[in-house]
Amino acid sequence: MAGIAYDRQTAEDYRIAREVPRAGLDAWRAAIAAEAALAPGGTVLDVGAGTGAFATAFHDWFGVRVLAVDPAEAMRAMIPRTEGVEVLDGRADALPVPDGCADAAWLGSVVHHLPDLPAAAAELRRALKPGAPVLIRNLFPGRAARDLRVRFFPETGRLIEGYPTVEQVCAAFAGAGFRRTALRAVPQESAAGLGDFAARIRRDADSKLRGLTDEEFERGMARLRATAAAEPGHPATSWMDLLVLS
């Protein structure tokens, strides 16, 4: 991810701080199932797979083979080596996969890190079967108010404003023949509660929090801890968008 050089410790911090527990992803499973016809024997291309939370989830949920692609060696090393998940070194604009090999592509929290969206779109078109969808899980400018980090660290919003908009992503992918077929906000339980969410934060492994001043970060942590103490049973629910292109 942009701005972060991943070594083993940073990758582990990312896993602790950013991976959503499987039990918190039920809404994502339902949203994906509604937008992609995935079945055992199919193949999903996970671009920017990180530490592999969604790669393993796709395999477990749908019985598909997953090609988990990431450019960072330390991140790839964290992906569980399990039957049905193949870990590959590669980038969105240079995918190490054959033409027309995948029934869907998954880009989870990665679009804003891609330096050349049209090149990535063209490469995904090459790698996907005709009509196969691109499933993009991301925050988009103007649509991120329900993200937990934006709620408690509102200054992170200024970084998100620099992300590609939904319209910009759609325009970049239109050049490769994709069109928007769905856009929906999806909730996830990022932790069992706000106290647990606060305990899992690793500033150095989160590009949004790294962009804050020390004062902004400490104000946000104080706000988060105070809310966790006042609402001990409140779930740590965050929302992101699912943009589907096919």
Side-chain angles (χ1 to χ4, degrees), residues 17-196:
R18 299 296 306 281
E19 279 194 6
V20 178
R22 179 70 63 82
L25 294 175
D26 287 348
W28 279 101
R29 179 178 184 175
I32 292 164
E35 301 297 342
L38 300 177
T43 297
V44 170
L45 180 59
D46 185 354
V47 180
T51 54
F54 272 96
T56 55
F58 269 92
H59 175 64
D60 293 345
W61 288 340
F62 306 111
V64 294
R65 174 186 180 224
V66 180
L67 304 177
V69 179
D70 200 277
E73 181 180 1
M75 297 291 266
R76 294 194 307 274
M78 300 292 295
I79 300 175
R81 267 45 179 183
T82 183
E83 184 179 357
V85 177
E86 182 177 354
V87 181
L88 301 169
D89 180 5
R91 307 186 314 273
D93 58 357
L95 296 168
V97 300
D99 295 354
C101 68
D103 299 282
W106 174 255
L107 282 72
S109 299
V110 71
V111 161
H112 53 286
H113 295 300
L114 302 181
D116 191 336
L117 277 176
E123 184 68 341
L124 285 165
R125 173 58 74 195
R126 177 193 68 78
L128 288 169
K129 297 176 182 177
V134 178
L135 308 166
I136 298 174
R137 172 182 176 262
N138 223 79
L139 294 173
F140 293 104
R143 297 179 56 88
R146 291 189 289 177
D147 176 77
L148 276 176
R149 285 163 297 171
V150 173
R151 175 184 172 188
F152 292 104
F153 304 88
E155 296 87 357
T156 58
R158 66 181 177 234
L159 179 62
I160 295 168
E161 286 305 307
Y163 287 8
T165 65
V166 170
E167 293 74 20
Q168 288 170 334
V169 173
C170 291
F173 275 74
F178 292 97
R179 63 181 181 86
R180 171 176 147 182
T181 57
L183 175 65
R184 62 167 77 183
V186 182
Q188 60 194 31
E189 297 298 329
S190 296
L194 293 176
D196 184 48

Side-chain angles (χ1 to χ4, degrees), residues 189 192-195 227-236:
E189 297 298 329
L194 293 176
T227 305
E231 305 175 25
H234 196 288

